[in-house]
């Protein structure tokens, strides 16, 4: 099931995370060691639960961005390793709390921590990981990095609350939705890209460029996620097609389909999303409506536009292997899953 | 209902927070302004929920400790205000998450935020407040203060997980319980007392003295809380007598009663706490068993012992109004509610 979205089926080397991974391989290994080390606690539940998520094959995309950004900006020190590890902890804490808030049962094709250990443990271990993240950042000792990431922590939570407040509201506008994903997703991409330039003490225009790269990459990443939820391959996705639909989650494909739809179609969205009255073939109907209104194509078109902004933001940096890898992350993010 | 605990009924001036409150009145007003300011967000749910807890008559004990400690240590700047505000935000975030984890319906005599706005909002607004706390600490710009409070954030969460893991386990030892309350309660008292000395750049022995004061005060405070839950006046308590019992929470009065009890009594504790099979007159029976084994008296005796350690820790500081007020906080903590 799923719309065929007009993308190349073949995956070229430039559309994977491989080039980036090869460049920062040693640093990623260092991060993986730190992550295991900092998830240690005498309280057994903490490493159990933390390892379930952290050691279970996340892409490490956000920390790799921080590493690549630091290296592209010529940072000579080692603080980028701990900074990137803290970013992964912040991301993991958010996932733990998200799954509780969304009552999710699966993530990356595995049972969620909350399903195995309960909501209570997920909330508290998330708090622990956030505390550990700030501890690591204090070890790095760069006040600007602390500023960037404490800011991100507050903005991400604010975005999650915005999303909660907009839940099941089919009349959410595209602009309102953009504000939500700017906060809940793009803010951490932005911060990950920015800390590299901050560690390297680059001038303001380069830090602004990295912020712009990270933010727009994050927006593109989230929008492609949204489209994949209605069109992707469940095996590659690590979750089922239609999860957002079944959870009544408002995303751009739905917003566009609702706005472009007629009265009968809006009644369909209101019944399924607002009232949560979903029967077996409603997902097929939802996907058919998205196809009719080219809502997935439009969502991916927006994602490509943000991807272009991210690419242009990098233009002021001289050519380098790290720059090329960061450009390829854009291609990966925009084209993945298709 | 409730055991008569051997304390004076009369409340002298030296057993209230008044002297401290008078000394730091202006600073507390400044904190209250900052707290309202930093709980602002375009996302309506955030100030609504934050004000419910923050503006609803907490004692501000932890931030006042930070203020008094800074002043006693001769800190001439203004960073203690934001630091203390951040501490109150951290405390509030913990309360929000605690109520979700404990499924509590009432706090300080009012409905909990989670009962009004739901668990989801409580989790996310807690995260937001924690993010705002670190933002404020970055504004203060003192790396040692950041270290103390990021450490506290991780330790508190670790303590909460420990408590969760020990839940309904009647064979928890007193030492295990002490480790839990050291982390979940005393760590923030410790940090609040320590940051004052850190801001004032006092020598290591004075910083250690403040840590000892805060930690032992926090232990005393928690143990009195535990005793009050079985013996207090519901109106003063802002919660019902027996909440811990009904929630199956392991606290020192229960640990002591279980250990000092005979087989029939242990069977009673296991039925009520482990199996959660509680009938109407079981709370009376629980209190009677505590009376029989002098468990509340013993709990308060421990609290007084920690209070003495806290008082002795302050001995190296010369006499001052702030020192006297901090000593009175000990008397207040040990004697409150009785």
């Amino acid at each position: 099931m799923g719309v065929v979205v007009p993308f190349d089926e073949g995956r070229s080397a430039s559309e994977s995370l491989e080039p980036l991974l090869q460049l920062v391989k040693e640093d990623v290994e260092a991060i993986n060691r730190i992550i295991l080390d900092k998830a240690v606690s005498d309280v057994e539940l903490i490493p159990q639960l933390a390892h379930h998520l952290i050691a279970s094959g996340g892409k490490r995309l956000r920390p790799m961005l921080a590493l690549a950004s630091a290296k592209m900006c010529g940072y000579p020190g080692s603080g980028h390793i701990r900074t990137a590890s803290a970013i992964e902890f912040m991301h993991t804490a958010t996932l733990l709390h998200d799954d509780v808030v969304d009552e999710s049962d699966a993530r990356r094709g595995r049972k969620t921590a909350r399903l195995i250990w309960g909501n209570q443990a997920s909330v508290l271990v998330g708090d622990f990981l956030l505390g550990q993240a700030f501890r690591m950042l204090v070890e790095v000792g760069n006040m600007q990095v602390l500023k960037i990431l404490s800011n991100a922590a507050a903005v991400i939570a604010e975005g999650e609350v915005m999303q909660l407040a907009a839940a099941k509201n089919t009349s959410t506008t595209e602009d309102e939705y953009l504000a939500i994903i700017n906060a809940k997703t793009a803010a951490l991409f932005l911060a990950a890209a920015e800390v590299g330039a901050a560690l390297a003490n680059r001038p303001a225009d380069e830090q602004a460029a990295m912020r712009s790269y990270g933010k727009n990459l994050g927006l593109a990443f989230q929008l492609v996620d949204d489209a994949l939820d209605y069109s992707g391959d469940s095996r590659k996705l690590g979750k089922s097609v239609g999860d957002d639909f079944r959870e009544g989650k408002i995303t751009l494909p739905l917003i566009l389909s609702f706005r472009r739809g007629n009265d009968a179609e809006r009644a369909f969205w209101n019944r399924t999303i607002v009232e949560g009255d979903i029967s077996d073939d409603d997902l097929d109907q939802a996907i058919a409506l998205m196809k009719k209104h080219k809502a997935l194509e439009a969502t991916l078109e927006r994602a490509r536009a943000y991807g272009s902004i991210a690419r242009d933001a990098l233009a002021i940096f001289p050519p380098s292997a790290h720059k090329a890898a960061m450009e390829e992350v854009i291609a990966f993010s925009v084209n993945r899953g298709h």
Side-chain angles (χ1 to χ4, degrees), chain A:
Chain A
M1 189 66 270
V3 180
V4 178
V5 183
F7 269 110
D8 294 340
E9 283 298 307
R11 164 71 48 91
S12 75
S14 70
E15 287 172 5
S16 86
L17 290 177
E18 261 319 299
L20 175 58
L21 194 54
Q22 285 309 318
L23 272 176
V24 296
K25 199 163 190 274
E26 281 175 35
D27 286 350
V28 169
E29 283 161 11
I31 287 178
N32 287 339
R33 284 192 298 274
I34 289 180
I35 282 175
L36 290 176
D37 184 49
K38 296 287 177 182
V40 159
S41 164
D42 293 338
V43 191
E44 269 181 58
L45 201 53
I46 289 178
Q48 276 175 11
L49 200 149
H51 288 183
H52 177 77
L53 254 179
I54 297 170
S56 73
K59 293 182 295 295
R60 304 264 193 276
L61 179 53
R62 293 156 189 81
M64 283 203 295
L65 282 178
L67 298 175
S69 157
K71 286 299 172 194
M72 187 185 79
C73 292
Y75 175 62
S78 62
H80 62 313
I81 309 270
R82 270 168 205 278
T83 303
S85 306
I87 288 172
E88 184 70 359
F89 269 31
M90 287 176 63
H91 177 54
T92 307
T94 305
L95 296 185
L96 281 169
H97 287 185
D98 269 7
D99 285 341
V100 170
V101 169
D102 294 344
E103 301 177 351
S104 302
D105 295 336
R107 176 175 293 277
R108 294 176 193 152
R110 306 180 68 191
K111 282 185 186 173
T112 53
R114 69 163 211 105
L115 202 68
I116 304 174
W117 291 281
N119 284 337
Q120 302 167 313
S122 288
V123 169
L124 297 175
V125 174
D127 290 350
F128 174 74
L129 293 178
L130 197 59
Q132 289 291 72
F134 279 102
R135 260 180 171 168
M136 283 190 263
L137 294 173
V138 169
E139 284 171 13
V140 175
N142 181 310
M143 198 57 84
Q144 211 199 330
V145 168
L146 270 158
K147 182 176 182 175
I148 291 165
L149 286 168
S150 61
N151 193 51
V155 169
I156 292 165
E158 204 170 11
E160 301 280 355
V161 181
M162 274 160 80
Q163 184 171 48
L164 183 65
K168 301 183 190 306
N169 179 3
T170 46
S171 63
T172 303
T173 65
E174 179 165 353
D175 282 331
E176 287 167 340
Y177 183 65
L178 264 185
I180 292 172
I181 64 175
N182 237 312
K184 75 159 194 150
T185 309
L188 194 56
F189 280 83
L190 180 157
E194 186 181 11
V195 289
L199 281 168
N201 258 318
R202 303 304 304 169
D205 64 328
E206 293 188 17
Q207 296 198 26
M210 290 313 295
R211 280 199 297 276
S212 177
Y213 167 79
K215 180 183 103 164
N216 287 288
L217 173 64
L219 291 174
F221 187 88
Q222 180 63 59
L223 291 176
V224 172
D225 242 19
D226 293 349
L228 282 175
D229 201 87
Y230 286 97
S231 64
D233 178 328
S234 296
R235 282 160 308 168
K236 287 189 199 166
L237 226 53
K239 58 179 189 175
S240 314
V241 168
D243 274 352
D244 288 348
F245 181 71
R246 280 182 292 270
E247 290 174 12
K249 208 176 253 184
I250 304 293
T251 63
L252 190 57
L254 191 152
I255 290 171
L256 294 175
S257 302
F258 183 83
R259 301 213 154 253
R260 295 175 179 183
N262 58 32
D263 285 352
E265 291 170 18
R266 290 185 191 166
F268 166 82
W269 293 115
N270 284 330
R271 167 173 66 77
T272 52
I273 300 298
V274 182
E275 294 163 27
D277 171 11
I278 299 182
S279 56
D280 279 352
D281 46 4
D282 281 339
L283 177 60
D284 288 352
Q285 169 69 356
I287 293 173
L289 291 178
M290 289 182 178
K291 199 168 180 176
K292 173 181 172 193
H293 294 297
K294 302 196 187 323
L296 297 175
E297 286 85 337
T299 298
L300 293 170
E301 183 186 85
R302 261 81 156 173
R304 281 193 295 272
Y306 291 117
S308 296
I309 300 175
R311 187 172 289 104
D312 287 331
L314 289 179
I316 61 165
F317 296 98
S320 72
H322 287 94
K323 178 179 172 179
M326 292 180 81
E327 286 172 339
E328 282 160 16
V329 172
I330 305 171
F332 164 79
S333 298
V334 172
N335 296 336
R336 81 210 142 92
H338 293 290

